[in-house]
Structure formats: C-alpha cells, structure tokens
Amino acid sequence: LETSIDLNRASFAQGSAAVAAVDWTGVLPAALVGGWDVVLAADVLYVEKLFEPFLRTLLGVVARSEETQVVLAYKERSVKDREFLSTRVLPSFSVVHRMDLTHEGQTCELYVASQPLLLPTP
C-alpha cells in the first residue's frame, strides 16, 4: 500500500495519505485515534476470534471523528462473518451505504459508513 500511495501522491489535490498496520489484539496507539478522513478495511472478517478485536480497533480509530468515512470491502466466507457484519459492525454506524462490485466474475460488497454510534475513549 505504501508503494501505491507513493505512486499516486502527485494526484492528491490536497491532504495526505498514510498506511498503518495495526495489531487488533493489542492496545491501539494514541497516534491512530481520530483525525482520519477515510479508513479502508478490506478482507478483514474471516477469522472468528478476531471479529470483536477488529470492531474495537475500528471504533477506536474513528473515535472523536464523526466525519471519518469507513470503507469496508467484504466477501462472505461463512454465516458467522455475515452475522457479525450485520449485527455488530454495520449497526455501529448511523449512516451506511452498500454497493455490490463484480470484477472478473468475483463479487464483493463495499460499504461506506460514517457517524459512528459508539465512540470509545482509547
């Protein structure tokens, strides 16, 4: 992702982009809390024991930032990941838009969410 950002940096009208790897099972570094325009999460719901840590981390990253847009690319792998998305992730935001994307025969769902309902303090 860092290479992609570097290659496209000239096309940014203003602002900046950053990539951060985050251990969902650990303490969220204070530097990652709030202040983001967009948070991209792709292909993240597939290991059941990481569902809750993912959601806790996502809500921590968007804390104190009602304007942050969360872009979540999702491909169903199991009934449990679909259930977690539907009952825990999406209801955590007051505005959610869904788009279905198909490329070379593969389909995924793209969600754009904003205005988190749960704003934890890190």
Side-chain angles (χ1 to χ4, degrees):
L1 288 175
E2 289 177 9
T3 301
S4 181
I5 288 172
D6 289 342
L7 292 172
N8 291 288
R9 195 168 306 282
S11 65
F12 300 160
Q14 61 184 20
S16 63
V19 174
V22 180
D23 176 1
W24 303 340
T25 63
V27 175
L28 184 64
L32 296 180
V33 177
W36 302 102
D37 294 325
V38 177
V39 173
L40 172 63
D43 204 22
V44 293
L45 294 176
Y46 54 90
V47 177
E48 187 176 352
K49 69 181 183 179
L50 295 177
F51 289 175
E52 287 295 337
F54 163 73
L55 182 57
R56 184 178 56 250
T57 300
L58 177 63
L59 293 174
V61 168
V62 301
R64 295 185 253 136
S65 185
E66 292 184 20
E67 301 302 316
T68 300
Q69 297 285 303
V70 174
V71 179
L72 173 66
Y74 169 76
K75 181 170 178 62
E76 183 174 340
R77 290 190 172 81
S78 71
V79 171
K80 290 190 179 207
D81 63 52
R82 168 65 67 191
E83 181 180 311
F84 186 76
L85 176 74
S86 299
T87 63
R88 297 284 291 123
V89 177
L90 300 179
S92 296
F93 296 88
S94 59
V95 177
V96 178
H97 302 283
R98 174 186 167 169
M99 295 166 265
D100 293 324
L101 303 175
T102 303
H103 178 70
E104 296 181 357
Q106 298 291 317
T107 301
C108 80
E109 299 162 19
L110 186 69
Y111 294 89
V112 179
S114 61
Q115 300 175 5
L117 298 173
L118 305 172
L119 297 174
T121 303

